[in-house]
Amino acid sequence: MTRLLQGVGAASGTGIGKAVWWRKETPEVTDSPASDVDREILSLEQAIEKAREQIRRLREVAAERMGEEEAAVFDAHLAFLDDPAYTGEMKSRIRSEKKNAAYVCHTVTDEMAGLLASLDDEYMRARADDIRDVGGRLLLLLSGKEPFDPSTIPDGSVVVADELTPSDTARFPEGITGMVTAKGSRTAHAAIMARTLGIPAVLGLGESIDEIRDGDTLVLDGDKGTVLINPPAEEVEQAKEQIRLQKLRREQALKAAEEDAFTADGKRIHVLANIGSLQDLGPSEANHAEGVGLLRTEFLYLESSRWPSEEEQTRAYERVLNAFGDRPVIIRTLDIGGDKDLPYHAMPREENPFLGHRAIRFCLSRPDIFKTQLRALLRAASHGNLWIMFPMVQSLAEIRAAKALLEECRTELEQEGVAVPNKIPVGIMIEVPAAAVIADLLAKEVDFMSIGTNDLTQYTLAADRGNEQVADLYDAAHPAVLRLVHMTCRAGAQAGIPVGMCGELAGDPEMTPLLVGLGLDELSMSPSSIPEVKARVRAVDFKKAALLAEKALELESADEVRRLVRRFTP
Ligand code: PEP
Ligand code: MG
């Protein structure tokens, strides 16, 4: 009998295949005392050494199959092996608690993973999976067992597992047609890798996954997050047809994505990538991003155990700028606070963190931290086409203060003999309703504006972007948000500066005609959406899109807007 399971769509596309359960071996751990503490420490050190060799090999395989950026996750694994707070802590506990190495490895891994998983930040939570991956490897090595070899899984299989780690995913053979897990989220590294490899994935099925047996035929939909167990033959045929069409569409869109996107009547729309870490550089290139519309620099601060130095930041910015040559790279200055905390900086508790001391507000209050970043940006600038963007701006005074600090940094660097390019465009994000309302005034102070609909929507509709209970109220297609977008575009056009959008709305292909019609010059999104959005831009007639936008601005609700957009024929 056919069964339908619902999880989270983590990597897009339809997949069909035979289920292969992958139950990972987890060695038994007891808290028996260590009879010889030195011997336990030696076993741990040998396990660490072997783990290092294995992870280095894995890194090579991953680099070959997915590119350097995806392989970088294994650098994080190697770093854990040398981390005094992790393996160092294990050694000192073996000594102080006189327990066996496997037990201590298990408890320290569990504690650190638990701590990371409890943090508010999604990125840090995903690091919990990485440390479990490393800990599991060490435990296997300590028990003398060989890790299961995923390359033995036959082609045409859908891998079914409780949880998948980056180490697992990197070693799956290319013929795997899907991945299905009980645990995991869209931001887990295994999910990101599945997207890069183009393997459809449904994660987070929970206990319902136990209904799947080895050898069942599975049809999974990585967009809707569904898994069908043993569907009738005609449904399998339909899914096969869907896979054929998807492949064709993707190939066509990807091929066409090499070219710039113009509307049918000749308006150029720039389509750029949002980048949240250096790992996104590969996919940006593969999907033909015309540049970076938003580099969220938070990753540099979140991956570090202290404030990142000017030197470290300079190197990272140079890497991104070098990768894009003369294409524009918009780097956003630090946006912490709100839902993003740093483990090494105690933020005072706030009643309303999203309305509190975040982003540009925090940076202006800590010129030491802000100037380190600005200096690093200016030092890296000669490596490419840098544009600097300030987040969460709500007043002219903030722009002027930030620009004054930037000028101060330029003067200092020039006195130190560092060459800084003359003209670096400086812009702001429009993500506070007040900024959209006075966009005409702000536009006179900046070289460009970029609309952050993720925050603009939550502030306009007074609906927390992360609160499931008000998720039905949170929709960027609400006419109130669209009116603010329209006002901003008009203000930009009057001031003669470009206006882009880098919130999630920009990457929704269904919305492309409306956004073009509202007057946006540039759309920036997660790299995988670029080909589809470019294809939509080409299909649109700008004049018709402008009429569509005019109608949308008069509608009463987000639902009405979405219905109108779906009916629109370009
Ligand atoms: C936004 O608010 O739309 C945005 C792009 O910034 P972030 O999602 O990083 O807050
Ligand atoms: Mg924002």
Side-chain angles (χ1 to χ4, degrees):
M1 196 186 67
T2 305
R3 286 277 301 136
L4 172 71
L5 310 182
Q6 182 70 54
V8 180
S12 169
T14 305
I16 309 173
K18 292 272 175 225
V20 173
W21 258 103
W22 185 19
R23 298 188 199 275
K24 267 184 277 182
E25 188 135 22
T26 34
E28 190 97 345
V29 178
T30 60
D31 69 346
S32 56
S35 50
D36 180 344
V37 163
D38 289 332
R39 212 180 58 213
E40 293 301 316
I41 293 186
L42 186 65
S43 314
L44 178 64
E45 278 169 350
Q46 285 167 343
I48 293 172
E49 216 26 65
K50 273 207 184 139
R52 202 187 315 279
E53 280 166 32
Q54 289 182 349
I55 297 172
R56 281 205 188 116
R57 271 203 305 277
L58 261 180
R59 194 195 183 290
E60 277 168 29
V61 175
E64 212 170 281
R65 285 188 65 193
M66 291 177 270
E68 269 302 309
E69 309 305 331
E70 291 299 321
V73 60
F74 296 110
D75 293 333
H77 286 203
L78 288 169
F80 277 132
L81 291 178
D82 291 324
D83 190 340
Y86 183 49
T87 47
E89 174 69 13
M90 290 180 200
K91 288 180 207 166
S92 56
R93 280 216 212 163
I94 294 175
R95 245 180 232 300
S96 62
E97 294 175 15
K98 302 198 173 31
K99 297 276 187 211
N100 69 79
Y103 175 78
V104 173
C105 171
H106 175 73
T107 35
V108 173
T109 303
D110 234 32
E111 281 170 22
M112 265 189 84
L115 184 76
L116 287 166
S118 70
L119 295 176
D120 261 353
D121 185 81
E122 222 175 351
Y123 181 84
M124 294 308 276
R125 280 204 299 273
R127 298 290 73 70
D129 296 343
D130 289 333
I131 205 150
R132 283 199 194 99
D133 193 345
V134 176
R137 181 180 300 284
L138 285 174
L139 270 183
L140 268 178
L141 287 165
L142 281 166
S143 70
K145 292 202 169 91
E146 278 303 306
F148 174 75
D149 183 1
S151 63
T152 56
I153 297 174
D155 284 356
S157 305
V158 172
V159 180
V160 184
D162 185 43
E163 193 169 18
L164 288 172
T165 65
S167 311
D168 306 332
T169 317
R171 289 183 304 158
F172 285 148
E174 291 185 20
I176 294 275
T177 50
M179 299 185 206
V180 170
T181 67
K183 297 185 197 146
S185 68
R186 264 190 72 78
T187 47
H189 263 305
I192 298 170
M193 282 189 173
R195 290 199 283 276
T196 310
L197 292 168
I199 302 176
V202 175
L203 309 186
L205 284 171
E207 285 171 9
S208 69
I209 200 166
D210 291 332
E211 297 187 35
I212 302 175
R213 301 269 168 267
D214 272 314
D216 280 347
T217 296
L218 302 183
V219 171
L220 57 127
D221 184 329
D223 297 284
K224 295 194 191 118
T226 53
V227 179
L228 279 171
I229 309 174
N230 295 326
E234 58 273 25
E235 285 202 44
V236 176
E237 284 312 309
Q238 267 172 23
K240 279 189 186 155
E241 179 58 12
Q242 221 158 358
I243 292 173
R244 199 184 64 78
L245 291 176
Q246 271 167 8
K247 205 164 152 242
L248 201 68
R249 223 178 25 235
R250 216 176 289 153
E251 278 167 7
Q252 281 168 347
L254 192 61
K255 197 154 179 346
E258 288 175 22
E259 305 296 326
D260 297 337
F262 291 88
T263 62
D265 48 350
K267 180 172 175 185
R268 168 91 187 261
I269 304 292
H270 298 264
V271 185
L272 292 87
N274 285 355
I275 288 193
S277 78
L278 296 177
Q279 289 170 33
D280 295 335
L281 288 178
S284 305
E285 206 50 53
N287 289 292
H288 306 291
E290 294 170 39
V292 176
L294 168 66
L295 173 71
R296 293 180 164 103
T297 56
E298 292 75 63
F299 76 94
L300 280 172
Y301 296 77
L302 291 165
E303 277 174 6
S304 181
S305 51
R306 52 181 164 72
W307 294 107
S309 69
E310 182 177 317
E311 198 54 39
E312 285 164 343
Q313 294 193 51
T314 307
R315 295 286 91 82
Y317 303 144
E318 281 173 2
R319 254 185 88 185
V320 183
L321 289 164
N322 282 333
F324 281 89
D326 55 10
R327 289 171 285 170
V329 173
I330 302 181
I331 301 189
R332 177 176 79 181
T333 58
L334 180 61
D335 180 6
I336 50 154
D339 60 346
K340 297 181 205 132
D341 285 341
L342 298 176
Y344 48 90
H345 174 72
M347 289 277 210
R349 218 192 81 73
E350 294 178 289
E351 284 296 330
N352 292 299
F354 270 119
L355 303 182
H357 196 54
R358 65 173 282 211
I360 194 74
R361 304 169 182 187
F362 170 82
C363 286
L364 289 175
S365 74
R366 287 294 304 265
D368 52 335
I369 290 164
F370 196 21
K371 279 180 71 181
T372 304
Q373 182 171 44
L374 296 176
R375 281 175 59 97
L377 286 168
L378 294 179
R379 279 179 59 189
S382 57
H383 285 254
N385 183 2
L386 169 70
W387 297 32
I388 296 176
M389 176 158 77
F390 302 125
M392 273 287 288
V393 164
Q394 54 99 279
S395 72
L396 276 161
E398 284 168 339
I399 302 175
R400 290 182 184 134
K403 278 170 67 176
L405 283 174
L406 187 63
E407 274 318 295
E408 215 174 287
C409 293
R410 175 189 284 277
T411 311
E412 280 171 19
L413 286 167
E414 282 169 358
Q415 278 164 359
E416 292 163 27
V418 179
V420 179
N422 270 341
K423 184 71 197 128
I424 298 171
V426 174
I428 50 169
M429 288 195 71
I430 300 290
E431 43 189 353
V432 177
V437 173
I438 58 164
D440 55 332
L441 302 179
L442 304 184
K444 293 185 185 133
E445 282 287 329
V446 292
D447 301 307
F448 67 96
M449 299 189 282
S450 182
I451 304 173
T453 45
N454 307 342
D455 277 315
L456 185 63
T457 304
Q458 76 164 345
Y459 293 132
T460 306
L461 305 178
D464 184 338
R465 61 195 263 191
N467 182 342
E468 283 138 34
Q469 298 196 72
V470 291
D472 56 332
L473 299 178
Y474 180 97
D475 190 340
H478 191 293
V481 181
L482 299 181
R483 287 185 187 200
L484 293 176
V485 171
H486 187 231
M487 281 175 82
T488 309
C489 291
R490 251 193 348 227
Q494 268 158 18
I497 61 167
V499 178
M501 177 180 284
C502 59
E504 288 304 304
L505 188 68
D508 180 350
E510 204 170 74
M511 286 294 174
T512 308
L514 176 60
L515 300 181
V516 169
L518 286 168
L520 286 147
D521 304 297
E522 176 243 286
L523 300 171
S524 189
M525 59 206 67
S526 77
S528 56
S529 304
I530 291 175
E532 182 88 26
V533 168
K534 275 193 169 175
R536 294 290 176 114
V537 168
R538 292 196 186 100
V540 163
D541 181 292
F542 176 62
K543 285 185 267 339
K544 272 178 148 183
L547 288 175
L548 171 77
E550 231 175 78
K551 270 196 206 143
L553 291 170
E554 296 306 319
L555 294 178
E556 290 176 9
S557 68
D559 284 348
E560 284 187 13
V561 171
R562 289 194 180 272
R563 272 199 296 276
L564 175 79
V565 167
R566 273 180 210 132
R567 282 200 310 270
F568 176 72
T569 41

